[in-house]
Amino acid sequence: MDHSAFDAPRLTAYAHGGGCACKIPPGELEEAVRGLTGQSGADVLVGLDSGDDAAAVLVREDLAVLSTADFFTPVVDDPFDWGRIAAANALSDVYAMGGRPIMAINLLGWPRGVLSPDLMTEVLRGGLSIASEAGCPVIGGHSIDDPEPKYGMAVTGVARPEQLMRNDAAKPGLPITLTKPIGVGLLNNRHKQTGEVFAEAVATMASLNRDASEAAVAAGVQAATDVTGFGLLGHLYKMVRASGVGAVIDLDEVPLVDGARHALRDGFISGGTRRNLDWVRPQLQAGPGITEDDLLLLADAQTSGGLLVVGELPGHPVIGHTTAGQGIEIR
């Protein structure tokens, strides 16, 4: 279908932030939920403690049920693409834990009387297309009248308990693999401000992490997470902190989306990215030649990013390794 009919109005003009860059900053969020209870119980395999990607509850000796929700403001102007990206992003939390999504429900905020119902239909159709690709039925949902458009999904998944990938299970001395290039946050910010469309960024964000997840489970990977709004550095820090290990990242090995460096040079850096770097900076040790721009790139707030895997996956770049120390060294 030709989506040119939806070029006006521009969806990103109705959002104060874009995609996962509109997340509440990591430090602020952790402070807000500190001390909250309710995650205890013998059958809770993964709760609030490590800030993992999804909750996991044991319902049978050989079956864990995963639950997650993710939604955000428009990251691109094309409503169908926004729906695709939001669905892939929501499903990613299940894949990050080695699970298989089995059901999703839509979460939608829509400014009635401002944006047309046809645009809303396109967003939902985009989400359905990706969920169908994942083999995950979308069964209803919940919508509200909202001055700012928001879309995402709550997703239920299943996994074998012994195959769960967690963000607190990293061991030292293992390679770190990244399954998608970073830099889409910079290009999304450029798109929001200029209207330029970056097809590779859209394709990257709309692609499922299913194959990478299945490969990681088959390889016996124990620790993984996905890279979204807190950036590569933020999500890596959450994982090494929860696991009691350190990490070394080789900057030259980190894959970038085409145009990301140019967008960085031209100043298309989101506030979310700067907050990510401020949060993780005390844990960083930057080697010779590593610039502030390099760190901002590594902290770039991603939307529907790849899996960050402690282990090696054929066909994906190894960007560093875990260590027995603490913190993150960039070299």
Side-chain angles (χ1 to χ4, degrees):
M1 178 177 178
D2 178 7
H3 303 300
S4 59
F6 302 107
D7 288 346
R10 294 190 58 207
L11 287 179
T12 55
Y14 292 84
H16 75 283
C20 291
C22 67
K23 275 188 171 182
I24 294 173
E28 185 178 322
L29 181 63
E30 288 191 346
E31 185 61 33
V33 302
R34 190 184 311 278
L36 292 183
T37 60
Q39 74 271 33
S40 60
D43 294 330
V44 176
L45 301 177
V46 179
L48 290 175
D49 297 336
S50 64
D52 219 321
D53 296 291
V57 176
L58 190 69
V59 297
R60 206 172 62 204
E61 186 177 336
D62 61 344
L63 180 67
V65 171
L66 311 179
S67 183
T68 185
D70 211 315
F71 62 94
F72 48 64
T73 53
V75 66
V76 293
D77 290 323
D78 186 296
F80 185 77
D81 283 343
W82 175 35
R84 294 168 63 223
I85 292 164
N89 182 74
L91 292 163
S92 180
D93 284 341
V94 170
Y95 293 133
M97 298 196 68
R100 175 175 61 88
I102 59 168
M103 180 181 69
I105 57 175
N106 286 316
L107 303 172
L108 179 71
W110 198 256
R112 294 175 57 253
V114 177
L115 295 176
S116 78
D118 290 343
L119 286 171
M120 181 175 70
T121 298
E122 282 298 289
V123 175
L124 294 172
R125 200 170 68 83
L128 183 59
S129 73
I130 291 297
S132 297
E133 181 184 334
C136 178
V138 181
I139 309 171
H142 183 67
S143 60
I144 62 168
D145 189 349
D146 191 331
E148 186 178 54
K150 302 176 181 72
Y151 175 62
M153 290 178 169
V155 183
T156 300
V158 294
R160 293 190 64 85
E162 72 275 10
Q163 293 179 337
L164 275 179
M165 298 189 298
R166 309 170 55 118
N167 74 350
D168 63 355
K171 306 296 183 189
L174 293 175
I176 299 172
T177 300
L178 181 64
T179 68
K180 284 187 186 181
I182 65 169
V184 296
L186 289 156
L187 296 181
N188 289 342
N189 201 24
R190 185 165 209 150
H191 172 68
K192 178 178 170 65
Q193 295 189 42
T194 69
E196 295 174 79
V197 176
F198 300 94
E200 183 190 351
V202 171
T204 294
M205 290 185 288
S207 65
L208 292 171
N209 282 325
R210 175 183 55 197
D211 292 351
S213 174
E214 291 175 354
V217 169
V221 167
Q222 294 181 310
T225 189
D226 63 348
V227 180
T228 55
F230 300 153
L232 172 60
L233 289 180
H235 289 284
L236 176 62
Y237 170 53
K238 287 182 67 177
M239 185 156 61
V240 298
R241 180 184 61 178
S243 300
V245 300
V248 174
I249 295 298
D250 297 309
L251 178 67
D252 290 343
E253 303 304 321
V254 178
L256 306 179
V257 177
D258 285 346
R261 278 280 184 189
H262 289 156
L264 178 69
R265 177 200 63 196
D266 295 340
F268 292 99
I269 303 161
S270 70
T273 292
R274 295 189 187 278
R275 290 189 291 271
N276 288 342
L277 182 54
D278 288 344
W279 180 60
V280 78
R281 193 188 297 273
Q283 321 302 326
L284 299 180
Q285 179 184 340
I290 300 297
T291 67
E292 182 73 3
D293 274 359
D294 293 331
L295 297 180
L296 284 166
L297 184 60
L298 295 175
D300 185 44
Q302 302 301 284
T303 296
S304 191
L307 299 186
L308 188 64
V309 176
V310 179
E312 193 164 354
L313 298 184
H316 298 288
V318 171
I319 64 167
H321 61 273
T322 54
T323 69
Q326 291 184 330
I328 300 170
E329 177 187 353
I330 313 295
R331 64 185 188 189

